[in-house]
Amino acid sequence: MNIKDVAALAGVSPATVSRYLNNTGTICQQTRERIGKVVEATGYNPKQKAKRIEMNHNPTIGVLIPSLLNPVFSEIVAAIQERARYFGYSTIIVDTQYDKGREQQAVVDLIRQRVGGVILTVANTEQNEALALLKDFNFPICLLYNKSAAQEPAVFVDNFKAGWQVADKLIGLGHYRFGVAAGHFSASDRARQRYEGFKQRIEQDDRAELALLLQVDPTEMAPYSQHKDVIKAAMATAWFCSNDLLALKMINHFHQTGMKVPDEVSVVGFDGMSLGQIVHPPLATVRVPHKTMGSCAVDLLFNSKHNTDLSLQRELDFQLSLEGTVSAIDA
């Protein structure tokens, strides 16, 4: 990072940055604040020897994901890397662990490295500091899984609609008492949207009831162990989990407590990760086209980078696959 890099990020000349650093000459307050934000975010120190990454020799895309422990993100990262290599780009993968503070720090680190763009999944797009930093510095971005009302480049599925359809299908199979297990809504707007759609469909049927909502840490190996009493008391015949990994952990919980899946209780996940299809019975889920999603994210990033007239938001179709760990209730 050198004075030219700071100037490029702030959208001013190196001479203006020099005047700011040396406190000489006249600089308007707005420009001063902008340069100050760049200096603070990048940690630029004019007394240190510059270490600049030459983008022409090492074109790189930053990829921010919530958790490498969730296999579904590993699948989509593989698709991103494959598409990025097609354009001659490498990738830097950062695991933010569903933490807003880690999101912001990761973005600062990527800004310092002058990556060519950032593909990211954030906790929530509203008032997100990591997203705001990238936009302030005019970095090409593409949101992954998140949909933004601000119309940033994004590739996503309709999580609300998917949750609604899962509930509708389960009601059609004779289920009327439900449980929902999700990651903390503050760390995943996708989990909240899936829940809201599921809940709305249940509220439309007088016979149906949402008996229990559990928000748990999705990174824990046994997130339900401390909730076993309330899970039992809920007496739900079907559980909807906000991702496949939570669904597999829910199935494991039922096995340990003597409940048979799907004979006594049905479980549905969300994502359609490959791991869910090699267990027995196969995991019922909402399938998301991760390979297509990863490729689209790279394409939309470059569309944004080169200011093309192509659409910068892409909604992909999902597919319900409610066999395996789901069974009907006999009338």
Side-chain angles (χ1 to χ4, degrees):
M1 177 67 63
N2 60 31
I3 195 170
K4 291 183 179 179
D5 297 322
V6 174
L9 288 171
V12 298
S13 70
T16 302
V17 176
S18 179
R19 290 200 301 274
Y20 169 88
L21 295 172
N22 295 303
N23 199 26
T24 59
T26 302
I27 305 175
C28 73
Q29 185 61 29
Q30 183 178 6
T31 300
R32 182 175 293 277
E33 290 176 357
R34 185 169 182 81
I35 297 172
K37 184 178 290 187
V38 174
V39 171
E40 180 182 1
T42 60
Y44 173 68
N45 184 343
K47 296 181 180 180
Q48 292 180 348
K49 185 178 180 180
K51 295 181 179 179
R52 178 171 179 175
I53 296 176
E54 293 292 343
M55 292 302 297
N56 288 336
H57 299 300
N58 186 28
T60 307
I61 294 172
V63 182
L64 269 64
I65 57 171
S67 176
L68 280 172
L69 296 177
N70 188 334
V72 73
F73 288 111
S74 298
E75 292 181 22
I76 199 162
V77 163
I80 290 171
Q81 290 177 320
E82 180 181 351
R83 187 62 173 167
R85 282 194 296 269
Y86 175 82
F87 291 107
Y89 275 68
S90 60
T91 53
I92 299 174
I93 313 300
V94 183
D95 180 347
T96 60
Q97 299 180 26
Y98 294 95
D99 183 272
K100 290 183 179 180
R102 289 178 183 268
E103 287 177 1
Q104 185 176 3
Q105 184 58 53
V107 163
V108 169
D109 292 341
L110 291 173
I111 288 172
R112 287 172 176 167
Q113 295 182 64
R114 299 294 306 276
V115 296
V118 180
I119 295 172
L120 70 167
T121 302
V122 296
N124 194 312
T125 59
E126 297 179 3
Q127 298 180 331
N128 186 281
E129 294 182 0
L131 202 55
L133 271 175
L134 289 168
K135 290 192 288 186
D136 281 348
F137 296 151
N138 295 316
F139 266 70
I141 65 168
C142 182
L143 288 165
L144 188 67
Y145 293 108
N146 302 105
K147 180 181 180 181
S148 171
Q151 298 299 305
E152 289 103 350
V155 55
F156 53 89
V157 297
D158 190 331
N159 291 291
F160 182 94
K161 181 179 178 181
W164 193 99
Q165 289 189 8
V166 169
D168 185 65
K169 181 68 173 179
L170 291 172
I171 290 172
L173 292 172
H175 293 275
Y176 297 110
R177 192 168 180 84
F178 301 97
V180 173
H184 295 291
F185 293 159
S186 60
S188 173
D189 57 3
R190 290 86 61 209
R192 177 178 52 80
Q193 292 158 7
R194 294 163 191 174
Y195 163 73
E196 291 292 346
F198 190 82
K199 178 171 173 281
Q200 184 184 95
R201 176 62 185 92
I202 290 172
E203 291 175 343
Q204 292 173 355
D205 195 310
D206 293 337
R207 301 165 297 175
E209 179 183 357
L210 182 58
L212 183 62
L213 165 65
L214 286 178
Q215 293 185 60
V216 299
D217 184 347
T219 65
E220 289 185 4
M221 287 299 295
Y224 309 114
S225 57
Q226 60 184 314
H227 304 290
K228 59 182 179 181
D229 291 337
V230 292
I231 291 174
K232 182 178 180 180
M235 295 187 294
T237 64
W239 280 83
F240 178 43
C241 301
S242 64
N243 64 50
D244 283 350
L245 196 57
L246 282 177
L248 291 176
K249 292 176 181 179
M250 178 65 78
I251 292 170
N252 185 57
H253 170 80
F254 284 133
H255 285 334
Q256 292 180 348
T257 55
M259 292 281 287
K260 295 181 180 179
V261 178
D263 297 341
E264 297 177 275
V265 60
S266 295
V267 177
V268 181
F270 198 111
D271 285 327
M273 68 181 187
S274 301
L275 182 61
Q277 302 310 301
I278 63 174
V279 298
H280 181 77
L283 179 63
T285 188
V286 179
R287 296 183 184 276
V288 176
H290 301 296
K291 186 172 183 178
T292 301
M293 183 171 281
S295 296
C296 281
V298 176
D299 290 345
L300 293 177
L301 177 71
F302 284 118
N303 289 347
S304 170
K305 185 178 178 69
H306 297 295
N307 298 313
T308 70
D309 293 330
L310 299 175
S311 173
L312 295 180
Q313 293 214 335
R314 190 81 53 83
E315 179 179 332
L316 301 181
D317 293 331
F318 58 83
Q319 180 183 6
L320 296 189
S321 180
L322 301 192
E323 297 84 25
T325 55
V326 166
S327 64
I329 298 291
D330 294 331

